[in-house]
């Protein structure tokens, strides 16, 4: 199975400031079609996860453009250009290259 | 509006069975994969199983041989039959819709999620 790891585990943020989360895989997620099969999800407190980014850098429907995904191969980053209060929660990366699709352990984002 | 509603969770003894259901609406159900993802209390997310639009199935190693996923297109629903339950199966079980129409069985982004149904395995 592909192992996903995230850092940091906890990220205190200031509204209006940028923030970034790192995700690494122990195998390349770059497909021969040149897409990286890496998703980002946000689970707000008490809510179900929601898809933010798929294929590394494509924003899901309705996701604000302050969220962006980048990286390739085994190293990926989710960036929030200007954090808002509603962005608090746990962020998970997930690979969709191989079955079983596997999640990172999560990064908890809180307002300072 | 896409909606996914899970049901069937509850308290069950180790070794017993439980059947979860996921009722879907707001999209052309026949054309999309549905997956199950679980979250043990206070922990992270774990993919469990998925079924493609054309009934291809996949399972996590931890549930292979014990869980069976199926779909009923007439009822717009997916079921997860869980047998030989263990304490480590205790979790909130989410069903989620696969992104992308008529994708073959396999890993996929999950673009809509239900609210989950809680399964507790304990004597």
């Amino acid at each position: 199975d592909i192992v996903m790891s995230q850092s940091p585990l906890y990220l205190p943020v200031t509204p209006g400031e940028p923030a970034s989360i790192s995700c690494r895989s122990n195998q390349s997620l770059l497909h021969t079609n040149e897409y990286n099969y890496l998703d980002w999800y946000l689970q707000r407190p008490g809510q179900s996860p929601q898809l933010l980014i798929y294929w590394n850098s494509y924003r899901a429907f309705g996701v604000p453009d302050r969220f962006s995904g980048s990286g390739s191969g085994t190293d990926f980053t989710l960036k929030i250009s200007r954090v808002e209060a509603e962005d608090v929660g746990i962020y998970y990366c997930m690979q969709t290259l191989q079955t079983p699709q596997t999640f990172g352990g999560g990064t908890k984002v809180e307002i300072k | 509006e896409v909606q996914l509603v899970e049901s069937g969770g509850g308290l069950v003894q180790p070794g017993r069975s439980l059947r979860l259901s996921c009722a879907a609406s707001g999209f052309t159900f026949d054309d999309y994969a549905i997956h199950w993802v679980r979250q043990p209390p206070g922990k992270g997310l774990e993919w469990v199983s998925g079924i493609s639009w054309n009934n291809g199935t996949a399972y996590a190693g931890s549930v292979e041989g014990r869980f069976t996923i199926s779909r009923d297109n007439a009822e717009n629903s997916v079921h997860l039959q869980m047998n030989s339950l263990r304490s480590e199966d205790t979790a909130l079980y989410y069903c989620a819709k696969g992104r992308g129409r008529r994708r073959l069985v396999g890993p996929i982004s999950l673009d809509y999620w239900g609210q989950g149904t809680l399964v507790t395995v304990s004597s």
Side-chain angles (χ1 to χ4, degrees):
Chain A
D1 298 0
I2 296 178
V3 177
M4 307 297 293
S5 57
Q6 291 181 231
S7 62
L9 295 181
Y10 173 70
L11 181 62
V13 297
T14 301
E17 294 296 307
S20 66
I21 299 169
S22 174
C23 175
R24 287 187 171 178
S25 57
N26 68 347
Q27 297 178 41
S28 176
L29 302 183
L30 180 61
H31 193 276
T32 52
N33 62 13
E34 299 190 358
Y35 286 97
N36 282 279
Y37 280 60
L38 189 281
D39 293 350
W40 288 97
Y41 296 83
L42 165 60
Q43 186 174 31
R44 294 188 173 100
Q47 295 188 19
S48 306
Q50 68 168 103
L51 177 65
L52 295 176
I53 302 285
Y54 63 95
W55 289 345
N56 180 39
S57 60
Y58 291 78
R59 273 188 301 276
F61 179 75
V63 174
D65 61 7
R66 64 179 182 274
F67 291 95
S68 64
S70 63
S72 185
T74 61
D75 290 289
F76 302 92
T77 302
L78 175 71
K79 293 181 181 177
I80 310 174
S81 59
R82 293 173 305 279
V83 172
E84 297 190 5
E86 66 179 17
D87 299 337
V88 300
I90 302 177
Y91 288 78
Y92 295 95
C93 60
M94 182 186 80
Q95 65 83 16
T96 58
L97 184 68
Q98 289 180 11
T99 298
Q101 47 204 87
T102 45
F103 291 89
T107 294
K108 188 172 186 178
V109 172
E110 289 187 344
I111 300 295
K112 283 182 182 175
Chain B
E1 179 192 5
V2 174
Q3 285 195 325
L4 298 164
V5 179
E6 303 91 339
S7 61
L11 174 62
V12 62
Q13 293 179 329
R16 304 296 292 264
S17 299
L18 209 56
R19 186 181 189 236
L20 305 184
S21 296
C22 172
S25 61
F27 62 99
T28 306
F29 181 78
D30 300 17
D31 285 348
Y32 291 90
I34 301 291
H35 287 241
W36 289 93
V37 174
R38 66 186 181 185
Q39 185 170 36
K43 295 191 177 181
L45 301 169
E46 180 190 16
W47 175 80
V48 173
S49 179
I51 186 166
S52 67
W53 70 279
N54 59 349
N55 285 305
T57 60
Y59 299 92
S62 58
V63 307
E64 182 101 50
R66 299 189 298 125
F67 290 12
T68 303
I69 191 171
S70 61
R71 64 188 297 153
D72 182 344
N73 288 345
E75 295 289 332
N76 282 11
S77 62
V78 168
H79 306 286
L80 187 67
Q81 177 67 41
M82 305 187 297
N83 298 333
S84 303
L85 283 162
R86 306 166 180 167
S87 58
E88 54 264 38
D89 296 319
T90 294
L92 185 63
Y93 283 73
Y94 295 102
C95 69
K97 171 184 165 293
R99 195 194 70 81
R101 184 173 170 268
R102 296 199 174 189
R103 293 275 302 277
L104 297 177
V105 66
I108 193 169
S109 305
L110 303 171
D111 58 0
Y112 292 91
W113 297 58
Q115 291 302 307
T117 186
L118 183 62
V119 173
T120 303
V121 184
S122 175
S123 54

